[in-house]
Amino acid sequence: MNIIEIIEKKKNNKKLTKEEINYAVNAYTIGVVSDAQMAALLMAICINEMDEEETFYLTKAMIESGRMIDLSSIPGIKVDKHSTGGVGDKTTLIVAPIVSACGVPVAKLSGRGLGHTGGTIDKLESINGFDSDLTTEEFVKQVKEVGMADVEQTEEIVPADKKLYALRDVTGTTESISLIASSIMSKKIAAGADKILLDVKTGSGALITNFEDSVKLAKMMVEVGKRYGKKTVAFITDMNEPLGMTIGNGLEVKEAIKTLEGNGDERLTELCLSLAAKMISMGKEESLEKARKEAEDALKSKRALEKFKEFVKAQKGDINNIKVSKNTFNVYATREGYVYDIDEVTLALECLNMGSGRKHKDDKLKLGVGILKHKSIGDYIKVGDLLATVYYEDVKANAKKIESAFMVGSKKQEHFPLIYGVIE
Ligand code: URA
């Protein structure tokens, strides 16, 4: 087969066959197809998209680029979760320990930052010593003994996604329904959980901004899950404003811990409890009401916090040593009024420019940089009020841009709705 013909076919908006998709994925994984060729194919997919059948074959080829994890030796129904990516989205760090503390094992494969959105693995690696590269045997053993584990794609498990993900991040090819669906579902199927909960972000800060397309993405992933015999549920949740108060790897881990201590942002806490309750009800096959109570109890009693600490320790992280930059400066308001919107993409790009994300595949992240917000939608601000604190290393963020990201008007606004719907 010829990769150039495959690229040209997709460029001309033609449907690819199962064999062509298999060839492209396998040849790229073993290095026969170059980064440049694969980037061209990814861009053609981004522009022309793939239909449901092509997306399924792409997912399948990615899963079969490595081996699947067998979790059958772990008792109980294993439930996994994945977010399609957002700004300040640290939900996994809160949801997974809540669910695990309630007795539902969580075996998770996560990703790194993608485009302007953050990634759980980068966040976890801001914890000194944290090891996101366990062997499959170590991963299974930890889920068995600790009740949760979170690792990156490896040379063994979805190696195709590991390579494609890193390439998409630096080639402007993140915003495609079929590429997101196959990337997420290949990890979820390969990780071996019995059931899957997806958090599909919609809004200006999400990879897929348009609501109808977000629903399409959710349905596509639910369908792939179904084809693999895995019950898959998708929440469609808001990404029109940053989630919680922080953006940036180390800062977000600290905020997740604060939330597990019971002192988190209300909106972030509510979303985490909703997702956790659904996962618990799926794992224990019990009512959502009962599961919600259990999730709240795990949070209130600090059992979830203890579980998070146990998990970090098991993966060799030092919870008392999380990277947060020492250099800071404050951004103050120059206008008066109610905050009616916060441009989360501007804030995320400022963090990325300071080094929280990659511009090149091999960039080394500055895990301590980021932005701590002091104001949210609905707050009244006066000239001179503190809007944000910026944590930087050598490159400083643009204070003017950060200030202008807080949009101010004369009428008090409510937050955007948190959850728009659920697709089962
Ligand atoms: N998360 C992933 O794992 N892949 C994507 O493409 C987007 C979010």
Side-chain angles (χ1 to χ4, degrees):
M1 235 171 250
N2 182 340
I3 190 67
I4 302 164
E5 283 170 15
I6 297 174
I7 296 166
E8 294 204 335
K9 203 169 162 190
K10 200 27 96 182
K11 184 180 80 179
N12 294 323
N13 201 11
K14 301 246 168 61
K15 184 168 169 159
L16 300 182
T17 63
K18 179 182 167 189
E19 290 71 28
E20 287 165 337
I21 293 169
N22 272 340
Y23 173 77
V25 170
N26 292 330
Y28 179 61
T29 307
I30 60 170
V32 170
V33 162
S34 70
D35 273 356
Q37 288 170 320
M38 188 44 95
L41 179 58
L42 291 173
M43 187 57 82
I45 295 173
C46 260
I47 293 167
N48 292 319
E49 282 292 357
M50 285 176 142
D51 69 12
E52 209 170 288
E53 196 179 18
E54 288 173 291
T55 306
F56 174 73
Y57 287 130
L58 178 59
T59 312
K60 192 167 184 291
M62 285 163 75
I63 295 168
E64 290 168 7
S65 68
R67 69 178 176 106
M68 300 232 255
I69 301 178
D70 180 5
L71 299 178
S72 61
S73 62
I74 302 167
I77 297 173
K78 277 71 67 185
V79 188
D80 197 352
K81 94 153 263 277
H82 209 91
S83 158
T84 57
V87 178
D89 182 1
K90 67 277 295 172
T91 51
T92 288
L93 305 177
I94 303 158
V95 172
I98 295 177
V99 172
S100 174
C102 292
V104 177
V106 181
K108 182 154 167 46
L109 280 197
S110 288
R112 296 187 178 273
L114 193 62
H116 69 273
T117 69
T120 304
I121 294 297
D122 290 335
K123 289 173 206 196
L124 285 168
E125 286 182 355
S126 71
I127 305 172
N128 208 36
F130 189 90
D131 182 7
S132 57
D133 188 24
L134 305 184
T135 64
T136 306
E137 289 66 33
E138 286 168 338
F139 177 75
V140 175
K141 185 167 178 274
Q142 189 178 310
V143 177
K144 224 181 253 178
E145 290 173 1
V146 177
M148 68 176 281
D150 199 347
V151 294
E152 195 188 4
Q153 316 95 315
T154 64
E155 302 305 325
E156 217 179 44
I157 314 294
V158 272
D161 184 55
K162 190 176 168 77
K163 281 191 84 176
L164 288 168
Y165 195 96
L167 187 63
R168 284 170 61 212
D169 185 32
V170 294
T171 52
T173 52
T174 55
E175 295 129 24
S176 148
I177 292 177
S178 26
L179 293 180
I180 296 172
S182 54
S183 164
I184 292 179
M185 292 311 287
S186 62
K187 283 192 281 292
K188 299 301 94 177
I189 306 291
D194 305 296
K195 298 184 181 179
I196 299 158
L197 178 66
L198 302 167
D199 180 6
V200 178
K201 299 286 182 207
T202 190
S204 51
L207 293 179
I208 301 295
T209 54
N210 169 289
F211 182 74
E212 285 70 37
D213 285 344
S214 305
V215 172
K216 200 167 156 193
L217 169 62
K219 286 186 172 163
M220 211 172 232
M221 292 194 285
V222 168
E223 192 54 40
V224 173
K226 204 160 121 191
R227 287 218 202 186
Y228 274 92
K230 313 250 180 202
K231 176 156 177 74
T232 305
V233 177
F235 277 32
I236 313 274
T237 73
D238 184 67
M239 189 29 71
N240 283 297
E241 53 181 297
L243 197 49
M245 302 306 279
T246 59
I247 306 166
N249 299 295
L251 287 174
E252 291 193 41
V253 174
K254 290 225 164 192
E255 186 179 11
I257 294 170
K258 194 173 161 196
T259 308
L260 289 166
E261 285 168 345
N263 304 315
D265 169 74
E266 222 176 278
R267 201 172 147 81
L268 172 65
T269 305
E270 176 52 37
L271 179 61
C272 291
L273 283 171
S274 301
L275 292 167
K278 187 67 188 177
M279 284 177 77
I280 296 163
S281 84
M282 288 164 81
K284 292 189 170 178
E285 300 188 322
E286 64 184 28
S287 75
L288 198 53
E289 292 68 34
K290 188 163 187 277
R292 170 78 191 212
K293 280 209 180 77
E294 288 180 30
E296 284 174 3
D297 184 56
L299 190 61
K300 208 163 151 211
S301 64
K302 311 266 193 310
R303 279 188 295 115
L305 175 66
E306 290 313 311
K307 183 57 71 182
F308 182 72
K309 289 181 181 170
E310 194 188 344
F311 147 73
V312 168
K313 195 169 168 206
Q315 286 187 231
K316 305 188 189 77
D318 176 3
I319 197 119
N320 298 312
N321 194 348
I322 299 167
K323 289 186 187 73
V324 172
S325 300
K326 297 242 165 10
N327 306 328
T328 61
F329 70 87
N330 288 329
V331 177
Y332 298 97
T334 57
R335 294 157 297 156
E336 177 160 350
Y338 288 103
V339 178
Y340 71 85
D341 199 356
I342 298 173
D343 177 356
E344 67 289 331
V345 177
T346 294
L347 297 184
L349 292 177
E350 284 306 306
C351 289
L352 206 142
N353 283 337
M354 289 193 291
S356 73
R358 295 168 189 80
K359 289 181 181 167
H360 303 281
K361 260 169 78 174
D362 303 322
D363 280 353
K364 202 167 156 13
L365 296 193
K366 292 167 192 156
L367 295 163
V369 306
I371 297 173
L372 164 64
K373 253 178 357 102
H374 297 284
K375 298 291 177 195
S376 295
I377 290 180
D379 288 345
Y380 192 80
I381 55 169
K382 295 198 287 301
V383 174
D385 276 358
L386 180 59
L387 290 179
T389 302
V390 178
Y391 293 76
Y392 68 98
E393 284 186 17
D394 45 347
V395 182
K396 276 192 180 182
N398 183 322
K400 234 183 149 134
K401 278 194 184 169
I402 294 174
E403 198 271 337
S404 64
F406 289 78
M407 289 172 239
V408 174
S410 57
K411 260 178 65 192
K412 186 169 166 66
Q413 290 284 332
E414 297 300 323
H415 283 280
F416 288 90
L418 194 52
I419 300 171
Y420 294 100
V422 178
I423 292 171
E424 306 238 4

